[in-house]
Amino acid sequence: MSYQRNRSNSSRNSMAPCAVGLVVAILFVLFVIGAAVIMWDDFAEALQNHEKLQEKHQELLTCEDGESCFRRGMHYYEKKEYGKAALDWEKGCDFKNGMACTNRGIMEFYGEIPETAPERMLDFATRGCDLNALRSCQLKGDVLKKHFSNRPGALDEAHELYVKACSPQDPSSCGYAAAYFYSKDDYEKSYEFATRGCLGDGSRNTANSCLFQALAAEKTGKSDPPREERIKTIKEGCDKYELGYFCAVYAQEMAADDRERLVYMDKACHFHNSPEYCDTARKARREVTNTEARLPELQKACAADDRVACLRIGKFYETNNALSPRERTARAREVYETLCQKRDNQGCAELRRLKKAAGR
């Protein structure tokens, strides 16, 4: 019995390694199968993604409707293949895609492709604007101003287009609209459109709006922006952007004294090349020169209550480089105070201007 038990135990012990080996083999097979399934899934997914990319690429390379032509035009434009981009955007415009019309017109307007004829640019811009692509409306206004300004009503139409195009996405149009209303003395409208375009991001696109916001606020008495900021903005319009009109406004309404006024009238003449501004600057300089030569005579006349002579003396003091800035202002102010005490309206106006400038 003992022998049989030992034999049975020995048999069981010899079978154990076989069972373990079988289990390991089964697990290995399952692992291989699982790995194969995972690899197949990954391969199938990769293949599917590749097919999608191929489809997308194929879709990009087609131009069968407005959207696909616009997309393919963008693809060529980014690769700097401007001729191909222009052809696709032209087709897209024919399919009534407003942005395709816009881009096709802009390429020609800014010289990215050879200019054909202004009428073609105007046509693309008109079609885009009619399709409510607001950037096309601004482009149409730009084309009218640049190429058709002699056509009756063209400039008014251009500014109406800027009014239509004004939006946060196109703040430069707001600035053009504000300038138009300002030129028509409609300062409330000018302020409204300028405020819509003055986004405060410091870009050139918004600068024009901010400049006219400052001008219109000055005319309407708005508190925003504050006067100090308005003065700074208008001065910047002259000094930074070299806009003659802003130099003239600063000279006439905001200059600290007549010396600064002369400097900014000269700038207005130089930047704007306007006969009006240049004549004003020359006349002011002649008056200063003549006043210096005739100062003793004018002082005698002023003492005899010649108020025009007194005003000329005050102006002379304001522009006299031989005096310090403080002394220039003090002497001119003394002359204007004396005139104002005598109820001279011009003397009072000059005194208010000096006080306003000193208190800014």
Side-chain angles (χ1 to χ4, degrees):
M1 249 176 111
S2 173
Y3 167 76
Q4 286 180 349
R5 191 181 301 116
N6 290 338
R7 187 177 176 185
S8 176
N9 289 340
S10 173
S11 176
R12 276 199 299 271
N13 290 339
S14 66
M15 289 176 65
C18 294
V20 170
L22 182 62
V23 170
V24 169
I26 292 170
L27 288 174
F28 178 73
V29 170
L30 289 173
F31 171 77
V32 170
I33 293 170
V37 169
I38 291 170
M39 286 174 66
W40 173 256
D41 287 344
D42 288 346
F43 174 73
E45 187 179 353
L47 186 64
Q48 193 175 15
N49 289 338
H50 177 71
E51 287 171 353
K52 283 181 180 177
L53 285 172
Q54 286 286 87
E55 285 175 17
K56 206 166 190 180
H57 183 66
Q58 197 61 35
E59 185 183 318
L60 183 66
L61 294 179
T62 60
C63 176
E64 297 174 345
D65 54 42
E67 184 61 29
S68 63
C69 291
F70 174 76
R71 270 200 314 269
R72 195 169 77 169
M74 288 300 299
H75 170 73
Y76 286 131
Y77 186 84
E78 287 166 3
K79 292 175 67 177
K80 301 191 184 304
E81 296 183 32
Y82 297 137
K84 290 181 179 179
L87 285 173
D88 279 345
W89 283 334
E90 192 165 329
K91 288 179 187 175
C93 187
D94 291 338
F95 282 123
K96 300 191 183 307
N97 183 291
M99 282 307 300
C101 300
T102 304
N103 288 2
R104 175 60 182 81
I106 285 174
M107 288 187 81
E108 197 163 330
F109 188 79
Y110 289 106
E112 290 176 320
I113 57 171
E115 188 174 307
T116 52
E119 287 78 13
R120 271 177 67 76
M121 273 189 282
L122 187 63
D123 176 59
F124 286 120
T126 300
R127 288 157 69 186
C129 187
D130 290 345
L131 290 165
N132 290 319
L134 295 184
R135 183 67 183 85
S136 270
C137 299
Q138 184 192 342
L139 176 64
K140 184 178 179 181
D142 292 342
V143 173
L144 285 170
K145 284 177 73 174
K146 183 177 179 181
H147 295 287
F148 299 95
S149 58
N150 293 328
R151 180 190 288 179
L155 292 180
D156 283 339
E157 184 184 355
H159 290 111
E160 287 169 10
L161 288 162
Y162 294 142
V163 168
K164 180 178 179 179
C166 172
S167 70
Q169 290 73 40
D170 192 9
S172 55
S173 286
C174 303
Y176 293 139
Y180 172 69
F181 287 119
Y182 192 90
S183 71
K184 298 291 185 183
D185 297 334
D186 190 343
Y187 304 123
E188 290 288 346
K189 276 278 188 189
S190 178
Y191 181 81
E192 175 193 335
F193 279 91
T195 301
R196 285 163 63 180
C198 183
L199 305 178
D201 60 4
S203 71
R204 181 84 195 211
N205 280 345
T206 65
N208 207 38
S209 292
C210 298
L211 290 169
F212 275 97
Q213 184 193 42
L215 282 179
E218 189 73 10
K219 289 290 187 182
T220 56
K222 305 283 187 190
S223 59
D224 183 34
R227 190 160 198 276
E228 282 216 12
E229 192 177 321
R230 296 202 295 267
I231 291 169
K232 180 183 173 185
T233 301
I234 291 169
K235 191 170 185 287
E236 187 178 68
C238 176
D239 294 338
K240 181 178 178 180
Y241 296 108
E242 299 184 351
L243 299 170
Y245 182 74
F246 287 84
C247 302
V249 170
Y250 184 82
Q252 292 162 0
E253 300 182 23
M254 297 172 175
D257 53 38
D258 269 15
R259 179 174 171 276
E260 190 181 30
R261 184 176 293 182
L262 278 177
V263 168
Y264 278 86
M265 281 311 302
D266 282 342
K267 286 186 177 186
C269 169
H270 177 69
F271 294 143
H272 199 276
N273 198 24
S274 157
E276 178 191 351
Y277 296 159
C278 295
D279 288 348
T280 303
R282 280 193 291 270
K283 183 180 175 184
R285 291 210 170 276
R286 278 198 304 270
E287 281 182 3
V288 170
T289 304
N290 293 340
T291 301
E292 188 171 13
R294 296 179 54 207
L295 187 59
E297 177 190 338
L298 289 169
Q299 286 173 330
K300 194 178 289 186
C302 180
D305 209 25
D306 183 338
R307 299 185 184 186
V308 173
C310 296
L311 284 169
R312 288 191 65 178
I313 292 170
K315 299 286 185 187
F316 170 72
Y317 285 145
E318 285 192 71
T319 55
N320 190 344
N321 289 329
L323 303 174
S324 69
R326 181 176 291 182
E327 196 174 0
R328 283 198 299 266
T329 302
R331 289 199 184 185
R333 182 169 177 164
E334 185 180 345
V335 172
Y336 298 145
E337 279 179 343
T338 303
L339 283 171
C340 194
Q341 286 166 4
K342 294 178 179 179
R343 301 186 182 282
D344 182 87
N345 290 334
Q346 187 61 37
C348 292
E350 296 295 344
L351 180 62
R352 282 194 299 273
R353 176 179 60 79
L354 274 189
K355 286 181 175 179
K356 194 174 185 181
R360 65 185 175 176

